[in-house]
Amino acid sequence: MKRPRKFTLPDFVDDVKPFLLDWLIWGYLAYTVIFLLNSYWYTQYVNWYGTLTLKPWGWALTIIGTFSCALLSEKFGISVGLKTIKSVERPPQKAWALTNWGITTLALVVFTFWVGWLTTDMEIGVIARRAPKTFHLWSGLSHPDFTHLINIDPELEDTILGSLIDTIFMAYLATVIGGILAAPLGFLGARNIMGGTWFRRIIFYITRAFFNVVRSVEALLWAIIFAIWIGWGPAAGTFALLIHSMAALAKLFSEQVESIKKGPIEAVQSTGASFWQTVRYGAVPQVVPQYTAFLLYRLDINVRMATVIALVGGGGIGRFFFYYKSQLDWNQVGAVTIIIAAVVWILDYISGKAREKIV
Amino acid sequence: MAQLEIKNLKKIYPPNVVALKDISFEVEKGEFLVVIGLSGSGKSTLLRCINRLIEPTEGSIKFEGREVTTASKKELREIREDIAMVFQRFNLIERSLVLTNVLTGQLAELPLWRSLLGRFPKELKNRAYERLETVGIPEQALKRADELSGGQQQRVGIARALMQDPKLLLADEPVSSLDPATSGTIMDYLAEINNQGKTVITSLHFLDLVRKYGTRAIGLKDGNIVYDGHPKDIDDEKFKEVFGEEAEKVHIT
Ligand SMILES: Nc1ncnc2c1ncn2[C@@H]1O[C@H](COP(=O)(O)OP(=O)(O)O)[C@@H](O)[C@H]1O
Ligand SMILES: [Mg+2]
């Protein structure tokens, strides 16, 4: 049925891709099988890091075995590669899970779950067995000790309430400054504005890359960087939240700018409005409400992050949490937890309501 | 002197799409001119050249004696004050109030600082309410524009146009995204505006509407004028002759 074709490189690559994916899948299946055999039989071929340590002939066997399996799977219609990359459709005679490639996919999911369960040391029994050990924790949490809510804790030289206010200010400053810096960056990262000349294109890509990189570094990591840079304390935490917020908001803002519709702008222009009037009545209403909602949501996130950032020296109420925890003072941990939960809940509620109104 | 004089108008979209070839016609004050033509024949391009939402490539457009094509920014704004436009997709600012949308119709009359702060004088607000009454939806004034139905949104579009007190109203397929019943209402408003002495230029798809409302029709095909006359004189045969095989599609209602 196949007509002989002239050999071309793109065609060849297209044909090989599904095969490579199949080979990868079979290789992965082989790995999971060896791993499982190992953990139930005896530990010889998988080392502590989970890497295979096979003898040369074992490797050869695996490679040849998976290679032939991949070849065969194309023959017998169980090729996941053909299905996903070339999207070969078969008439739907059988239910999805009963098709051959469906079984292969199912096997992948099940085996991966199994291996994952073993590598993460998951165990259901332990939850029940060791429950009594947490008794003092629960009792501490349910008998919170609010002594230091308004009395200074000499160790930390602050009150819980005072540090809570620190935390909220940290989050607030980070959101405001980050939000303001994000706006111009957002314009530079908006495809529709930065189109046209190659110079603009380059700036667009650089900006995009910049905020994608900054965004993908966790705020916790930024806090470590700034703690080293400017010393421990709320300022370091604020900088960390600020830079992370800025990148995240810039991304959202640029998407918002990209979604500006031309129609309403033309409508305002056609009335004889000037440039700034057109911006004010045509563009701003399309961007600002949604952006304000993002800002409120970001404030929410920042308060939550600000508590965790204390772990690496970011200052704020989290300091109390981690300090009391290290002292095993569960009653005070309970008090701090309740305060944090209350603040987060209240903020979540308010910003949720406000966002509903705006958007 | 006619109110609108278009001479040798030509529009080429870069790099080489010729949308209008060599268009010349005049429009007298008070006409209800309908532009008809298949999709892609250049109707939108023609209408949008008149208020220069699209820059014409060549030719001259004179509105009340003033040249549009070479007008400076300031002159263009003054010309646009007298030419209102209604759009197929309404083009309202969806998140803003209906009232705000109507008020944008006369931004040009306001000092910049007042308009930027959104401080509209009471008398303008009253006028906006009046315009909404004209199109029958004063009770919707304080709703957000995107809460309204399509027909209601187009009424807001008309109210916004009326806010300008225009001498010429351009309407680019004003009823193409509406159902037939609503279309009739919207067209009636345009007719009423026309009765008050304002010139209307609109593009339409349905021959029935063209015959009912137009006082004159211009047929476009591939960027050329292929018909200019009274709508009543276009019978189905003529129509087919002018627009060719695909004509049927256009006047099916
Ligand atoms: N922005 C544009 N860029 C390039 N070509 C366009 C653009 N707008 C319209 N055209 C082309 O110009 C011709 C006329 O379009 P248009 O005026 O929208 O016709 P109509 O409104 O009658 O459907 C069409 O061939 C269309 O493809
Ligand atoms: Mg059109």
Side-chain angles (χ1 to χ4, degrees):
Chain A
M1 286 196 272
K2 258 194 192 168
R3 271 181 285 116
R5 284 179 307 179
K6 237 173 75 185
F7 178 86
T8 60
L9 192 63
D11 273 353
F12 177 69
V13 169
D14 260 14
D15 285 343
V16 157
K17 266 199 228 155
F19 173 76
L20 285 182
L21 182 63
D22 276 334
W23 196 6
L24 194 73
I25 289 170
W26 279 106
Y28 174 71
L29 272 176
Y31 164 75
T32 56
V33 168
I34 295 169
F35 184 94
L36 289 173
L37 284 178
N38 248 295
S39 48
Y40 288 109
W41 198 11
Y42 60 93
T43 314
Q44 187 178 343
Y45 298 124
V46 178
N47 71 10
W48 195 75
Y49 301 102
T51 7
L52 287 179
T53 54
L54 289 182
K55 298 230 162 65
W57 61 267
W59 279 110
L61 196 72
T62 317
I63 289 171
I64 295 171
T66 53
F67 188 86
S68 20
C69 280
L71 274 182
L72 287 176
S73 58
E74 285 201 22
K75 281 266 177 324
F76 291 109
I78 56 170
S79 164
V80 177
L82 280 180
K83 179 79 189 169
T84 50
I85 293 185
K86 284 204 155 176
S87 59
V88 174
E89 282 298 335
R90 288 167 175 282
Q93 314 126 329
K94 301 176 188 169
W96 175 85
L98 292 181
T99 58
N100 285 326
W101 68 266
I103 293 173
T104 318
T105 314
L106 215 62
L108 278 177
V109 172
V110 169
F111 274 46
T112 304
F113 184 85
W114 199 345
V115 171
W117 186 271
L118 292 174
T119 39
T120 52
D121 288 333
M122 284 286 280
E123 204 188 328
I124 297 285
V126 75
I127 293 283
R129 200 157 16 87
R130 289 180 53 108
K133 296 232 178 202
T134 59
F135 175 75
H136 62 281
L137 210 157
W138 300 121
S139 91
L141 292 179
S142 54
H143 298 90
D145 172 3
F146 286 105
T147 335
H148 292 123
L149 183 60
I150 44 171
N151 298 310
I152 289 181
D153 184 321
E155 278 303 321
L156 296 167
E157 298 176 335
D158 199 357
T159 63
I160 294 179
L161 202 61
S163 69
L164 172 66
I165 292 171
D166 281 357
T167 296
I168 293 175
F169 277 143
M170 280 164 65
Y172 175 75
L173 275 184
T175 313
V176 171
I177 301 175
I180 291 172
L181 293 180
L185 272 181
F187 277 113
L188 294 182
R191 200 179 294 274
N192 53 345
I193 287 188
M194 300 307 286
T197 64
W198 59 268
F199 178 69
R200 287 178 167 214
R201 292 256 117 208
I202 288 173
I203 292 186
F204 164 80
Y205 283 115
I206 291 175
T207 318
R208 271 286 161 105
F210 170 72
F211 47 70
N212 280 336
V213 167
V214 173
R215 221 161 44 97
S216 57
V217 175
E218 276 297 323
L220 203 61
L221 268 167
W222 281 114
I224 295 175
I225 294 170
F226 281 107
I228 295 167
W229 193 337
I230 60 176
W232 287 43
T238 310
F239 270 115
L241 292 175
L242 185 161
I243 195 151
H244 196 255
S245 301
M246 178 187 76
L249 285 167
K251 177 107 201 296
L252 291 172
F253 190 67
S254 64
E255 277 162 10
Q256 204 60 33
V257 171
E258 279 175 1
S259 74
I260 288 182
K261 283 192 230 130
K262 226 174 139 198
I265 290 182
E266 286 182 336
V268 177
Q269 267 177 350
S270 73
T271 67
S274 66
F275 176 79
W276 288 111
Q277 285 174 329
T278 309
V279 170
R280 163 74 175 79
Y281 286 91
V284 165
Q286 291 193 59
V287 173
V288 165
Q290 190 67 46
Y291 191 58
T292 317
F294 287 149
L295 280 179
L296 282 171
Y297 187 49
R298 196 68 218 178
L299 181 66
D300 230 30
I301 296 175
N302 279 345
V303 169
R304 257 173 278 173
M305 277 191 177
T307 59
V308 180
I309 268 175
L311 189 59
V312 292
I317 194 171
R319 234 162 25 112
F320 283 73
F321 184 92
F322 294 115
Y323 175 70
Y324 292 143
K325 200 213 96 194
S326 70
Q327 303 295 306
L328 305 181
D329 188 343
W330 299 110
N331 302 73
Q332 300 224 55
V333 168
V336 176
T337 309
I338 288 171
I339 299 283
I340 293 176
V343 169
V344 167
W345 182 77
I346 291 170
L347 241 151
D348 193 50
Y349 181 80
I350 295 174
S351 85
K353 283 279 166 213
R355 267 179 283 145
E356 261 174 45
K357 278 265 180 298
I358 294 169
V359 180
Chain B
M1 185 186 68
Q3 188 180 32
L4 183 69
E5 297 171 11
I6 297 180
K7 275 206 194 82
N8 307 109
L9 179 64
K10 193 169 178 186
K11 172 64 191 179
I12 302 174
Y13 288 107
N16 55 8
V17 183
V18 185
L20 297 176
K21 284 189 183 135
D22 186 15
I23 302 282
S24 301
F25 62 92
E26 297 186 351
V27 183
E28 297 294 337
K29 198 166 166 9
E31 275 191 86
F32 195 115
L33 172 66
V34 186
V35 182
I36 47 179
L38 295 169
S39 174
S41 57
K43 303 183 295 294
S44 301
T45 307
L46 173 59
L47 260 61
R48 296 155 79 83
C49 277
I50 294 173
N51 63 359
R52 246 175 83 186
L53 278 184
I54 289 177
E55 288 294 334
T57 311
E58 263 174 44
S60 127
I61 300 172
K62 273 211 176 91
F63 178 71
E64 308 218 310
R66 301 175 78 165
E67 180 58 49
V68 179
T69 53
T70 55
S72 69
K73 274 188 183 159
K74 188 163 169 294
E75 282 171 329
L76 181 61
R77 287 211 304 271
E78 282 167 16
I79 292 170
R80 280 175 174 172
E81 272 189 70
D82 288 336
I83 305 179
M85 193 163 205
V86 172
F87 301 83
Q88 178 183 353
R89 311 252 25 149
F90 325 132
N91 288 356
L92 301 183
I93 294 95
E94 297 188 336
R95 286 208 180 86
S96 300
L97 297 184
V98 166
L99 187 67
T100 315
N101 268 285
V102 178
L103 283 167
T104 54
Q106 49 62 251
L107 282 175
E109 285 175 35
L110 275 186
L112 184 65
W113 67 270
R114 240 177 195 288
S115 63
L116 290 189
L117 292 177
R119 309 208 39 94
F120 295 97
K122 184 117 185 96
E123 129 228 348
L124 281 183
K125 279 192 189 166
N126 289 340
R127 197 157 107 205
Y129 271 105
E130 271 170 38
R131 298 300 184 263
L132 282 172
E133 255 160 49
T134 312
V135 295
I137 47 167
E139 74 284 353
Q140 311 286 355
L142 298 181
K143 280 197 187 158
R144 263 171 53 158
D146 56 3
E147 289 172 31
L148 271 53
S149 70
Q152 288 173 325
Q153 291 197 26
Q154 192 59 299
R155 291 179 197 210
V156 178
I158 292 176
R160 174 172 64 190
L162 287 179
M163 195 68 190
Q164 272 175 259
D165 256 328
K167 293 177 180 152
L168 168 63
L169 180 71
L170 304 172
D172 189 8
E173 302 197 23
V175 296
S176 292
S177 16
L178 303 175
D179 60 78
T182 323
S183 300
T185 327
I186 296 294
M187 287 309 295
D188 286 339
Y189 285 125
L190 295 188
E192 205 178 302
I193 292 165
N194 181 239
N195 283 338
Q196 287 161 9
K198 299 184 200 306
T199 316
V200 175
I201 303 181
T202 179
S203 57
L204 289 176
H205 251 116
F206 299 126
L207 196 51
D208 299 1
L209 293 180
V210 181
R211 287 201 182 116
K212 183 167 176 203
Y213 294 97
T215 60
R216 179 180 166 199
I218 281 185
L220 280 186
K221 189 183 181 186
D222 300 332
N224 284 317
I225 294 185
V226 290
Y227 181 86
D228 189 345
H230 199 278
K232 299 252 159 51
D233 299 337
I234 324 174
D235 53 21
D236 289 9
E237 267 319 298
K238 175 102 186 161
F239 201 74
K240 213 164 196 166
E241 181 195 316
V242 169
F243 291 107
E245 288 307 305
E246 284 174 87
E248 239 117 13
K249 274 189 205 152
V250 180
H251 68 110
I252 287 172
T253 33

